Amino acid sequence: MQLSGVGVSPGRVAGPRVVVVADLREPASLPVPDDLRAEAGKIGPAAESVAASLSDRARSVSGDARSVLETTAAMASDPALLASAEKRVLDGSLPAPRAVWEAAGEFMTALRAAGGYLAERAADVADVRDRIVAVLLGLAPPGVPELTSPSVLVARDLAPADTAGLDPDLVLALVTEEGGPTSHTAILARALGIPAVVACAGVLGLAGPGLVVDGSAGTVSPSDGRVVAPARTSRPEWDGVGRLADGHRVKLLANVGSASDARAAAAAGAEGIGLFRTEFCYLSATSEPTESSQRAAYAAVLEPFGGKPVVVRTLDAGSDKPLAFLDMGAEPNPALGVRGLRVAFDRPDLLDRQLTAIAAAAADTGVELSVMAPMVATAAEAAWFAERARAAGIGRVGVMIEIPAAALCAAEILAEVDFVSLGTNDLAQYVFAADRQLGAVAALNDPHQPALLRLVGMVAEAGVAAGKPVGVCGEAAADPALAPVLAGLGVTSLSMNAVALAGVGAALRAVDLAACRALA
């Protein structure tokens, strides 16, 4: 019996299976603590212990693994999460482990409602929850068992802290029942060169002592348990310049969301930043960050790219992404509600303050600044954003194309802005009405789908006609097999996770523009 999932890291291997039992038993709501204040006081130290442990592990690794562990450590000490848990002890008379469990559950529900990238962060919150609860109960934290021989790891999902510490010599492949192509499991599997398949429903129940995993095809089959591993391949050679064999330029940029991401991208040779997600400044804030605090935070990310091009995306948040200072109210379908630039229509001052802070951070670091807005649907919205960004002193302004309506009106939108960037992850989700987190419809979110590529081609054609750049910053950009197709469609830059840069750069250097156009 062969199962299908989403292949997120290429390679075909076989070996014995090891199942990761990572779930902690749900803690009870009773007995009621005798001293509620003392009980609530246990939560902070437990969280600090988890954050310190994760930070220690982060210092022992580098690149994507370090970035992921640092992000998870920050989650463990998130003041909003801890305050919510303490309130549940004091107001609901809950034991501390149960209060942490419920507080984290509320955060996870909100993230899953958001869909896309943030939905995949729900698994990270669950990992932090389990680690804090384990400390409070005096238990060993859940995680990957110690491996003594090469094996295929199988799990419902894998926590980032577990994935970051894996030994590629012992882990032949990763297979999870949940997750998506932008989950930390996927990112780190690619970074480590471990074949991986996610969203593979039913794999925990698959019979047999071993598994055959094809991370390229996204398939998993039972085996007799014998190890079959390909020879290790060397890292692709890339000189740090994005171009085809005939010299045609396709800039290779990095997606970043933190200072550690930016450092890793610079070390990997990125020509600039194609997508700087600014949400990190807001997600754990109980009040809007000040202009000065934003300026400093943004400057820390931009600093490694002084003199180079960077594209900063303004706040992509709303009722689907819980921000304490944004009282957006309940929505029946947050993914289609007030998010991205739509938040700013009723709160333009929020956008104006961020634009001012971004411009100041760019001046501090000497980067070549561009700013773009998320969730733009019409040319009128693009014009509204461009006017405000230019009023803040920002000379180069663009928008994200992640709504089908924007792709269909790309020519009109490009008349209002200087460039556009295709967010293929969300664009695919909206084109196919397929939640990126749902394994049952994962095949529809494959960036090779013709309908998605036709929209990319339409936008690129509009860019050529207008004489303006069109980039791609979704997972499609990180696929070496797809990069020549995107170049052939007319895309002028590709932005991706740092670990994908060399592979994509090498793939582009192997073909000329005529071959790319033929592939397209």
Side-chain angles (χ1 to χ4, degrees):
M1 177 184 180
Q2 179 174 281
L3 299 179
S4 294
V6 178
V8 294
S9 185
R12 181 180 171 85
V13 300
R17 55 192 271 163
V18 172
V19 176
V20 179
V21 182
D23 289 337
L24 198 71
R25 180 177 295 180
E26 185 172 341
S29 301
L30 295 173
V32 173
D34 294 329
D35 186 336
L36 295 179
R37 290 199 174 279
E39 187 73 6
K42 296 177 182 177
I43 294 173
E48 289 173 10
S49 171
V50 170
S53 174
L54 292 170
S55 295
D56 286 344
R57 291 181 63 181
R59 285 189 284 272
S60 68
V61 294
S62 60
D64 291 286
R66 181 169 189 162
S67 175
V68 167
L69 286 169
E70 287 175 344
T71 301
T72 310
M75 282 185 179
S77 55
D78 186 324
L81 174 63
L82 302 185
S84 177
E86 290 167 354
K87 182 174 172 54
R88 280 172 163 78
V89 174
L90 297 172
D91 296 350
S93 300
L94 292 176
R98 180 67 193 185
V100 170
W101 187 277
E102 291 188 4
E106 183 177 47
F107 275 64
M108 291 161 63
T109 298
L111 290 170
R112 286 169 179 149
Y117 176 83
L118 283 186
E120 290 169 357
R121 302 288 76 79
D124 305 347
V125 176
D127 175 43
V128 165
R129 174 202 67 191
D130 289 353
R131 291 175 184 275
I132 296 174
V133 168
V135 170
L136 289 168
L137 293 174
L139 302 174
V144 176
E146 184 176 353
L147 300 178
T148 57
S149 60
S151 307
V152 174
L153 282 185
V154 183
R156 180 185 58 80
D157 204 351
L158 279 170
D162 293 329
T163 318
L166 296 180
D167 182 351
D169 292 327
L170 291 176
V171 180
L172 295 170
L174 299 174
V175 185
T176 63
E177 284 204 332
E178 298 180 1
T182 58
S183 65
H184 278 144
T185 298
I187 292 168
L188 291 173
R190 288 191 289 266
L192 294 169
I194 299 172
V197 176
V198 300
C200 188
V203 70
L204 288 172
L206 202 59
L211 295 175
V212 178
V213 179
D214 190 330
S216 303
T219 59
V220 180
S221 308
S223 76
D224 58 11
R226 286 181 294 178
V227 173
V228 180
R232 293 279 179 188
T233 57
S234 59
R235 185 177 179 86
E237 292 189 8
W238 177 54
D239 63 1
V241 179
R243 60 177 171 231
L244 305 181
D246 56 8
H248 179 81
R249 288 282 277 132
V250 180
K251 286 186 179 179
L252 297 188
L253 310 169
N255 295 342
V256 304
S258 67
S260 59
D261 284 353
R263 291 192 297 270
E271 297 184 86
I273 295 174
L275 170 63
F276 172 15
R277 304 181 182 97
T278 56
E279 289 73 51
F280 78 102
C281 255
Y282 296 85
L283 289 178
S284 62
T286 55
S287 60
E288 181 189 344
T290 63
E291 282 185 26
S292 60
S293 66
Q294 290 184 59
R295 177 178 182 171
Y298 301 151
V301 177
L302 300 179
E303 189 273 331
F305 286 91
K308 294 184 178 181
V310 301
V311 181
V312 181
R313 186 182 69 186
T314 55
L315 178 62
D316 187 10
S319 64
D320 63 321
K321 300 174 186 177
L323 300 184
F325 60 90
L326 284 179
D327 182 14
M328 302 296 296
E331 290 181 351
N333 193 339
L336 302 179
V338 180
R339 56 172 295 198
L341 185 63
R342 298 170 183 178
V343 173
F345 295 150
D346 290 330
R347 297 170 172 79
D349 55 325
L350 178 70
L351 173 64
D352 292 344
R353 284 188 288 272
Q354 184 180 29
L355 290 170
T356 300
I358 291 170
D364 292 341
T365 54
V367 298
E368 297 177 11
L369 177 66
S370 301
V371 173
M372 63 182 178
M375 288 297 289
V376 170
T378 68
E381 291 179 359
W384 183 87
F385 173 73
E387 181 180 1
R388 303 197 84 86
R390 288 171 181 143
I394 295 166
R396 190 168 184 269
V397 183
V399 300
M400 295 280 292
I401 302 289
E402 50 196 337
I403 298 174
L408 294 169
C409 293
E412 290 82 357
I413 286 175
L414 278 162
E416 304 292 346
V417 296
D418 304 306
F419 71 96
V420 296
S421 184
L422 286 140
T424 53
N425 298 345
D426 270 330
L427 184 58
Q429 180 170 239
Y430 290 129
V431 167
F432 297 108
D435 190 328
R436 287 162 52 195
Q437 272 295 99
L438 188 60
V441 295
L444 291 172
N445 283 306
D446 185 337
H448 292 254
Q449 284 280 4
L452 179 64
L453 291 177
R454 284 177 185 169
L455 284 179
V456 173
M458 288 174 60
V459 177
E461 185 178 347
V464 171
K468 295 179 178 179
V470 172
V472 170
C473 60
E475 280 301 303
D479 185 343
L482 196 58
V485 176
L486 297 175
L489 288 171
V491 169
T492 59
S493 66
L494 300 172
S495 188
M496 64 207 73
N497 188 278
V499 71
L501 286 163
V504 171
L508 291 176
R509 289 298 296 273
V511 291
D512 59 18
L513 186 57
C516 290
R517 286 173 173 165
L519 285 168

CSV table of all heavy atoms in Angstrom, one decimal, residues 403-455:
chain,number,residue,atom,x,y,z
A,403,ILE,N,-3.9,37.6,-4.1
A,403,ILE,CA,-5.4,37.4,-4.3
A,403,ILE,C,-5.6,37.3,-5.8
A,403,ILE,O,-5.1,38.1,-6.6
A,403,ILE,CB,-6.1,38.7,-3.7
A,403,ILE,CG1,-5.9,38.8,-2.2
A,403,ILE,CG2,-7.6,38.6,-4.0
A,403,ILE,CD1,-6.5,40.1,-1.6
A,404,PRO,N,-6.4,36.3,-6.2
A,404,PRO,CA,-6.6,36.2,-7.7
A,404,PRO,C,-7.0,37.4,-8.4
A,404,PRO,O,-6.6,37.7,-9.5
A,404,PRO,CB,-7.7,35.1,-7.7
A,404,PRO,CG,-7.5,34.3,-6.5
A,404,PRO,CD,-7.0,35.2,-5.5
A,405,ALA,N,-7.9,38.3,-7.7
A,405,ALA,CA,-8.3,39.5,-8.3
A,405,ALA,C,-7.2,40.4,-8.7
A,405,ALA,O,-7.1,41.1,-9.7
A,405,ALA,CB,-9.3,40.2,-7.4
A,406,ALA,N,-6.1,40.4,-7.8
A,406,ALA,CA,-5.0,41.3,-8.1
A,406,ALA,C,-4.2,40.8,-9.3
A,406,ALA,O,-3.7,41.5,-10.1
A,406,ALA,CB,-4.1,41.3,-6.8
A,407,ALA,N,-4.1,39.4,-9.4
A,407,ALA,CA,-3.4,38.9,-10.5
A,407,ALA,C,-4.1,39.2,-11.8
A,407,ALA,O,-3.5,39.5,-12.9
A,407,ALA,CB,-3.3,37.3,-10.4
A,408,LEU,N,-5.4,39.1,-11.8
A,408,LEU,CA,-6.2,39.4,-13.0
A,408,LEU,C,-6.2,40.9,-13.4
A,408,LEU,O,-6.4,41.2,-14.6
A,408,LEU,CB,-7.7,39.0,-12.8
A,408,LEU,CG,-7.9,37.5,-12.6
A,408,LEU,CD1,-9.3,37.2,-12.2
A,408,LEU,CD2,-7.5,36.7,-13.9
A,409,CYS,N,-5.9,41.8,-12.4
A,409,CYS,CA,-5.8,43.2,-12.7
A,409,CYS,C,-4.3,43.7,-12.5
A,409,CYS,O,-4.1,44.9,-12.1
A,409,CYS,CB,-6.7,44.0,-11.8
A,409,CYS,SG,-8.5,43.7,-12.1
A,410,ALA,N,-3.4,42.9,-12.8
A,410,ALA,CA,-2.0,43.2,-12.6
A,410,ALA,C,-1.6,44.4,-13.4
A,410,ALA,O,-0.8,45.3,-12.9
A,410,ALA,CB,-1.1,42.0,-13.0
A,411,ALA,N,-2.1,44.6,-14.6
A,411,ALA,CA,-1.7,45.8,-15.4
A,411,ALA,C,-2.1,47.1,-14.8
A,411,ALA,O,-1.3,48.0,-14.7
A,411,ALA,CB,-2.3,45.6,-16.8
A,412,GLU,N,-3.3,47.1,-14.3
A,412,GLU,CA,-3.8,48.3,-13.6
A,412,GLU,C,-3.1,48.5,-12.3
A,412,GLU,O,-2.8,49.7,-12.0
A,412,GLU,CB,-5.3,48.1,-13.3
A,412,GLU,CG,-6.2,48.2,-14.6
A,412,GLU,CD,-6.3,46.8,-15.3
A,412,GLU,OE1,-5.6,45.9,-14.9
A,412,GLU,OE2,-7.0,46.7,-16.3
A,413,ILE,N,-2.8,47.5,-11.6
A,413,ILE,CA,-2.0,47.7,-10.3
A,413,ILE,C,-0.6,48.2,-10.6
A,413,ILE,O,-0.1,49.1,-9.9
A,413,ILE,CB,-2.0,46.3,-9.5
A,413,ILE,CG1,-3.4,46.1,-8.9
A,413,ILE,CG2,-0.9,46.3,-8.4
A,413,ILE,CD1,-3.5,44.8,-8.2
A,414,LEU,N,0.0,47.6,-11.6
A,414,LEU,CA,1.4,48.1,-11.9
A,414,LEU,C,1.5,49.5,-12.4
A,414,LEU,O,2.5,50.1,-12.4
A,414,LEU,CB,2.0,47.1,-13.0
A,414,LEU,CG,2.6,45.8,-12.4
A,414,LEU,CD1,2.7,44.8,-13.5
A,414,LEU,CD2,3.9,46.1,-11.8
A,415,ALA,N,0.3,50.0,-12.9
A,415,ALA,CA,0.3,51.4,-13.2
A,415,ALA,C,0.4,52.3,-12.0
A,415,ALA,O,0.7,53.5,-12.1
A,415,ALA,CB,-1.0,51.7,-14.0
A,416,GLU,N,0.1,51.8,-10.8
A,416,GLU,CA,0.1,52.6,-9.6
A,416,GLU,C,1.4,52.4,-8.7
A,416,GLU,O,1.6,53.2,-7.8
A,416,GLU,CB,-1.1,52.2,-8.7
A,416,GLU,CG,-2.5,52.3,-9.4
A,416,GLU,CD,-2.8,53.8,-9.7
A,416,GLU,OE1,-2.2,54.7,-9.2
A,416,GLU,OE2,-3.7,54.0,-10.5
A,417,VAL,N,2.1,51.3,-9.0
A,417,VAL,CA,3.3,51.0,-8.1
A,417,VAL,C,4.5,50.7,-9.0
A,417,VAL,O,4.4,50.6,-10.2
A,417,VAL,CB,3.0,49.8,-7.2
A,417,VAL,CG1,1.9,50.1,-6.2
A,417,VAL,CG2,2.6,48.5,-8.0
A,418,ASP,N,5.6,50.5,-8.3
A,418,ASP,CA,6.9,50.3,-9.0
A,418,ASP,C,7.3,48.8,-9.3
A,418,ASP,O,8.1,48.5,-10.1
A,418,ASP,CB,8.0,50.9,-8.2
A,418,ASP,CG,7.8,52.4,-7.9
A,418,ASP,OD1,7.5,53.2,-8.9
A,418,ASP,OD2,7.7,52.8,-6.7
A,419,PHE,N,6.6,47.9,-8.5
A,419,PHE,CA,6.9,46.5,-8.7
A,419,PHE,C,5.8,45.7,-8.0
A,419,PHE,O,5.0,46.3,-7.2
A,419,PHE,CB,8.3,46.1,-8.1
A,419,PHE,CG,8.3,46.2,-6.6
A,419,PHE,CD1,8.1,45.0,-5.8
A,419,PHE,CD2,8.5,47.4,-5.9
A,419,PHE,CE1,8.1,45.1,-4.4
A,419,PHE,CE2,8.5,47.5,-4.5
A,419,PHE,CZ,8.3,46.3,-3.8
A,420,VAL,N,5.8,44.4,-8.3
A,420,VAL,CA,4.9,43.5,-7.6
A,420,VAL,C,5.6,42.2,-7.2
A,420,VAL,O,6.7,41.9,-7.9
A,420,VAL,CB,3.6,43.1,-8.4
A,420,VAL,CG1,2.7,44.4,-8.6
A,420,VAL,CG2,3.9,42.4,-9.7
A,421,SER,N,5.2,41.6,-6.2
A,421,SER,CA,5.8,40.3,-5.8
A,421,SER,C,4.7,39.3,-5.5
A,421,SER,O,3.7,39.5,-4.8
A,421,SER,CB,6.6,40.5,-4.5
A,421,SER,OG,7.2,39.3,-4.1
A,422,LEU,N,4.8,38.1,-6.2
A,422,LEU,CA,3.8,37.1,-6.1
A,422,LEU,C,4.0,36.2,-4.9
A,422,LEU,O,5.0,35.6,-4.8
A,422,LEU,CB,3.8,36.2,-7.4
A,422,LEU,CG,3.2,36.8,-8.6
A,422,LEU,CD1,4.1,36.5,-9.8
A,422,LEU,CD2,1.8,36.4,-8.8
A,423,GLY,N,3.0,36.2,-4.0
A,423,GLY,CA,3.1,35.3,-2.8
A,423,GLY,C,2.3,34.0,-3.2
A,423,GLY,O,1.1,33.9,-3.0
A,424,THR,N,3.1,33.1,-3.8
A,424,THR,CA,2.4,31.9,-4.4
A,424,THR,C,1.8,31.0,-3.4
A,424,THR,O,0.8,30.2,-3.7
A,424,THR,CB,3.4,31.1,-5.2
A,424,THR,OG1,4.6,30.8,-4.5
A,424,THR,CG2,3.8,31.9,-6.5
A,425,ASN,N,2.2,31.0,-2.1
A,425,ASN,CA,1.6,30.2,-1.1
A,425,ASN,C,0.1,30.6,-0.9
A,425,ASN,O,-0.8,29.7,-1.0
A,425,ASN,CB,2.3,30.3,0.2
A,425,ASN,CG,3.8,29.8,0.1
A,425,ASN,OD1,4.2,29.2,-0.8
A,425,ASN,ND2,4.6,30.2,1.1
A,426,ASP,N,-0.1,31.8,-0.6
A,426,ASP,CA,-1.5,32.3,-0.4
A,426,ASP,C,-2.3,32.3,-1.7
A,426,ASP,O,-3.5,32.0,-1.8
A,426,ASP,CB,-1.5,33.7,0.3
A,426,ASP,CG,-1.6,33.6,1.8
A,426,ASP,OD1,-2.1,32.6,2.3
A,426,ASP,OD2,-1.1,34.5,2.4
A,427,LEU,N,-1.6,32.7,-2.8
A,427,LEU,CA,-2.3,32.8,-4.1
A,427,LEU,C,-2.8,31.4,-4.5
A,427,LEU,O,-4.0,31.3,-4.9
A,427,LEU,CB,-1.3,33.3,-5.2
A,427,LEU,CG,-2.0,33.4,-6.6
A,427,LEU,CD1,-3.1,34.4,-6.6
A,427,LEU,CD2,-0.9,33.9,-7.6
A,428,ALA,N,-2.1,30.3,-4.3
A,428,ALA,CA,-2.5,29.0,-4.5
A,428,ALA,C,-3.7,28.6,-3.6
A,428,ALA,O,-4.7,28.0,-4.1
A,428,ALA,CB,-1.4,28.0,-4.3
A,429,GLN,N,-3.6,29.0,-2.4
A,429,GLN,CA,-4.7,28.6,-1.4
A,429,GLN,C,-6.0,29.3,-1.9
A,429,GLN,O,-7.1,28.6,-1.8
A,429,GLN,CB,-4.3,29.2,0.0
A,429,GLN,CG,-5.3,28.9,1.0
A,429,GLN,CD,-4.8,29.2,2.4
A,429,GLN,OE1,-4.7,28.3,3.3
A,429,GLN,NE2,-4.3,30.4,2.7
A,430,TYR,N,-5.9,30.5,-2.3
A,430,TYR,CA,-7.2,31.2,-2.8
A,430,TYR,C,-7.6,30.7,-4.1
A,430,TYR,O,-8.8,30.6,-4.4
A,430,TYR,CB,-6.9,32.7,-2.8
A,430,TYR,CG,-6.8,33.3,-1.4
A,430,TYR,CD1,-5.7,34.1,-1.1
A,430,TYR,CD2,-7.8,33.0,-0.4
A,430,TYR,CE1,-5.6,34.7,0.2
A,430,TYR,CE2,-7.6,33.6,0.9
A,430,TYR,CZ,-6.6,34.4,1.2
A,430,TYR,OH,-6.5,34.9,2.4
A,431,VAL,N,-6.7,30.4,-5.0
A,431,VAL,CA,-7.1,30.0,-6.4
A,431,VAL,C,-7.8,28.6,-6.3
A,431,VAL,O,-8.8,28.4,-7.0
A,431,VAL,CB,-5.8,29.8,-7.3
A,431,VAL,CG1,-6.1,29.1,-8.6
A,431,VAL,CG2,-5.3,31.2,-7.6
A,432,PHE,N,-7.3,27.7,-5.5
A,432,PHE,CA,-7.9,26.4,-5.4
A,432,PHE,C,-8.8,26.1,-4.3
A,432,PHE,O,-9.3,25.0,-4.1
A,432,PHE,CB,-6.7,25.3,-5.3
A,432,PHE,CG,-5.8,25.3,-6.6
A,432,PHE,CD1,-4.5,25.8,-6.5
A,432,PHE,CD2,-6.3,24.9,-7.8
A,432,PHE,CE1,-3.7,25.9,-7.6
A,432,PHE,CE2,-5.5,24.9,-8.9
A,432,PHE,CZ,-4.2,25.4,-8.8
A,433,ALA,N,-9.1,27.2,-3.5
A,433,ALA,CA,-10.0,27.0,-2.3
A,433,ALA,C,-9.5,25.8,-1.5
A,433,ALA,O,-10.3,25.0,-1.1
A,433,ALA,CB,-11.4,26.8,-2.7
A,434,ALA,N,-8.2,25.8,-1.2
A,434,ALA,CA,-7.6,24.6,-0.6
A,434,ALA,C,-6.7,25.1,0.6
A,434,ALA,O,-5.6,25.7,0.3
A,434,ALA,CB,-6.8,23.8,-1.5
A,435,ASP,N,-7.1,24.9,1.8
A,435,ASP,CA,-6.3,25.2,3.0
A,435,ASP,C,-4.9,24.6,2.9
A,435,ASP,O,-4.8,23.4,2.8
A,435,ASP,CB,-7.0,24.8,4.2
A,435,ASP,CG,-6.4,25.3,5.5
A,435,ASP,OD1,-5.2,25.5,5.6
A,435,ASP,OD2,-7.2,25.6,6.5
A,436,ARG,N,-3.9,25.4,3.1
A,436,ARG,CA,-2.5,24.9,3.0
A,436,ARG,C,-2.2,23.9,4.1
A,436,ARG,O,-1.2,23.1,4.0
A,436,ARG,CB,-1.5,26.1,3.0
A,436,ARG,CG,-1.5,26.9,1.8
A,436,ARG,CD,-0.9,28.3,2.0
A,436,ARG,NE,0.4,28.1,2.7
A,436,ARG,CZ,1.0,29.2,3.3
A,436,ARG,NH1,0.5,30.4,3.3
A,436,ARG,NH2,2.2,29.0,3.8
A,437,GLN,N,-2.9,23.9,5.2
A,437,GLN,CA,-2.6,23.0,6.3
A,437,GLN,C,-3.4,21.7,6.2
A,437,GLN,O,-3.1,20.8,6.9
A,437,GLN,CB,-3.1,23.7,7.6
A,437,GLN,CG,-2.0,24.6,8.2
A,437,GLN,CD,-0.8,23.8,8.7
A,437,GLN,OE1,0.2,23.7,8.0
A,437,GLN,NE2,-0.9,23.1,9.8
A,438,LEU,N,-4.3,21.6,5.3
A,438,LEU,CA,-5.1,20.4,5.2
A,438,LEU,C,-4.5,19.4,4.2
A,438,LEU,O,-4.4,19.6,3.0
A,438,LEU,CB,-6.5,20.8,4.7
A,438,LEU,CG,-7.6,19.7,4.8
A,438,LEU,CD1,-7.7,19.1,6.2
A,438,LEU,CD2,-8.9,20.2,4.3
A,439,GLY,N,-4.0,18.2,4.8
A,439,GLY,CA,-3.4,17.2,4.0
A,439,GLY,C,-4.2,16.7,2.8
A,439,GLY,O,-3.7,16.3,1.8
A,440,ALA,N,-5.6,16.6,3.1
A,440,ALA,CA,-6.5,16.0,2.1
A,440,ALA,C,-6.5,16.8,0.8
A,440,ALA,O,-6.8,16.3,-0.3
A,440,ALA,CB,-7.9,16.0,2.6
A,441,VAL,N,-6.1,18.1,0.8
A,441,VAL,CA,-6.1,18.9,-0.4
A,441,VAL,C,-4.7,19.4,-0.7
A,441,VAL,O,-4.6,20.4,-1.5
A,441,VAL,CB,-7.1,20.1,-0.3
A,441,VAL,CG1,-8.5,19.6,-0.2
A,441,VAL,CG2,-6.8,21.0,0.9
A,442,ALA,N,-3.7,18.8,-0.2
A,442,ALA,CA,-2.3,19.3,-0.3
A,442,ALA,C,-1.9,19.3,-1.8
A,442,ALA,O,-1.1,20.2,-2.2
A,442,ALA,CB,-1.4,18.5,0.5
A,443,ALA,N,-2.4,18.4,-2.6
A,443,ALA,CA,-2.0,18.3,-4.0
A,443,ALA,C,-2.4,19.5,-4.8
A,443,ALA,O,-1.7,19.9,-5.8
A,443,ALA,CB,-2.6,17.1,-4.7
A,444,LEU,N,-3.4,20.2,-4.3
A,444,LEU,CA,-3.9,21.4,-5.0
A,444,LEU,C,-3.0,22.6,-4.8
A,444,LEU,O,-3.0,23.6,-5.5
A,444,LEU,CB,-5.3,21.7,-4.6
A,444,LEU,CG,-6.4,20.8,-5.1
A,444,LEU,CD1,-7.7,21.1,-4.4
A,444,LEU,CD2,-6.5,20.8,-6.6
A,445,ASN,N,-2.2,22.5,-3.7
A,445,ASN,CA,-1.3,23.6,-3.4
A,445,ASN,C,0.1,23.4,-3.9
A,445,ASN,O,1.0,24.1,-3.6
A,445,ASN,CB,-1.2,23.8,-1.9
A,445,ASN,CG,-2.4,24.5,-1.3
A,445,ASN,OD1,-2.8,25.6,-1.8
A,445,ASN,ND2,-3.1,23.9,-0.4
A,446,ASP,N,0.2,22.4,-4.8
A,446,ASP,CA,1.5,22.1,-5.5
A,446,ASP,C,1.8,23.3,-6.5
A,446,ASP,O,0.9,23.6,-7.3
A,446,ASP,CB,1.4,20.9,-6.3
A,446,ASP,CG,2.7,20.4,-7.0
A,446,ASP,OD1,3.5,21.3,-7.2
A,446,ASP,OD2,2.8,19.3,-7.3
A,447,PRO,N,2.9,24.0,-6.3
A,447,PRO,CA,3.2,25.2,-7.2
A,447,PRO,C,3.3,24.8,-8.7
A,447,PRO,O,3.4,25.8,-9.5
A,447,PRO,CB,4.5,25.7,-6.6
A,447,PRO,CG,5.1,24.6,-5.9
A,447,PRO,CD,4.0,23.8,-5.3
A,448,HIS,N,3.4,23.6,-9.0
A,448,HIS,CA,3.5,23.2,-10.4
A,448,HIS,C,2.1,23.2,-11.1
A,448,HIS,O,2.0,22.9,-12.3
A,448,HIS,CB,4.1,21.8,-10.6
A,448,HIS,CG,5.6,21.7,-10.2
A,448,HIS,ND1,6.6,21.6,-11.1
A,448,HIS,CD2,6.2,21.8,-9.0
A,448,HIS,CE1,7.7,21.6,-10.5
A,448,HIS,NE2,7.5,21.7,-9.2
A,449,GLN,N,1.0,23.4,-10.3
A,449,GLN,CA,-0.3,23.4,-10.9
A,449,GLN,C,-0.5,24.4,-12.0
A,449,GLN,O,-0.1,25.5,-11.9
A,449,GLN,CB,-1.4,23.7,-9.8
A,449,GLN,CG,-1.6,22.6,-8.8
A,449,GLN,CD,-2.6,21.5,-9.4
A,449,GLN,OE1,-3.0,21.6,-10.5
A,449,GLN,NE2,-3.0,20.5,-8.6
A,450,PRO,N,-1.0,24.0,-13.1
A,450,PRO,CA,-1.1,24.9,-14.3
A,450,PRO,C,-1.9,26.1,-14.0
A,450,PRO,O,-1.5,27.2,-14.5
A,450,PRO,CB,-1.8,24.0,-15.4
A,450,PRO,CG,-1.5,22.6,-15.0
A,450,PRO,CD,-1.4,22.6,-13.5
A,451,ALA,N,-2.9,26.1,-13.3
A,451,ALA,CA,-3.7,27.3,-13.1
A,451,ALA,C,-2.9,28.3,-12.3
A,451,ALA,O,-3.0,29.5,-12.7
A,451,ALA,CB,-5.0,26.9,-12.3
A,452,LEU,N,-2.1,27.9,-11.4
A,452,LEU,CA,-1.3,28.9,-10.6
A,452,LEU,C,-0.2,29.5,-11.5
A,452,LEU,O,0.0,30.7,-11.6
A,452,LEU,CB,-0.6,28.2,-9.4
A,452,LEU,CG,0.3,29.0,-8.6
A,452,LEU,CD1,-0.5,30.2,-7.9
A,452,LEU,CD2,1.0,28.2,-7.5
A,453,LEU,N,0.4,28.6,-12.3
A,453,LEU,CA,1.5,29.1,-13.2
A,453,LEU,C,0.9,30.0,-14.3
A,453,LEU,O,1.6,31.0,-14.7
A,453,LEU,CB,2.2,27.9,-13.9
A,453,LEU,CG,3.0,27.1,-12.9
A,453,LEU,CD1,3.7,25.9,-13.6
A,453,LEU,CD2,4.1,27.9,-12.2
A,454,ARG,N,-0.3,29.8,-14.7
A,454,ARG,CA,-0.9,30.7,-15.7
A,454,ARG,C,-1.1,32.1,-15.1
A,454,ARG,O,-0.9,33.1,-15.8
A,454,ARG,CB,-2.3,30.1,-16.2
A,454,ARG,CG,-2.1,29.0,-17.2
A,454,ARG,CD,-3.4,28.4,-17.6
A,454,ARG,NE,-3.1,27.2,-18.5
A,454,ARG,CZ,-4.1,26.4,-18.9
A,454,ARG,NH1,-5.3,26.6,-18.5
A,454,ARG,NH2,-3.8,25.3,-19.6
A,455,LEU,N,-1.5,32.1,-13.9
A,455,LEU,CA,-1.7,33.4,-13.2
A,455,LEU,C,-0.3,34.1,-13.0
A,455,LEU,O,-0.2,35.3,-13.2
A,455,LEU,CB,-2.3,33.3,-11.8
A,455,LEU,CG,-3.8,33.1,-11.8
A,455,LEU,CD1,-4.3,32.9,-10.4
A,455,LEU,CD2,-4.6,34.2,-12.5
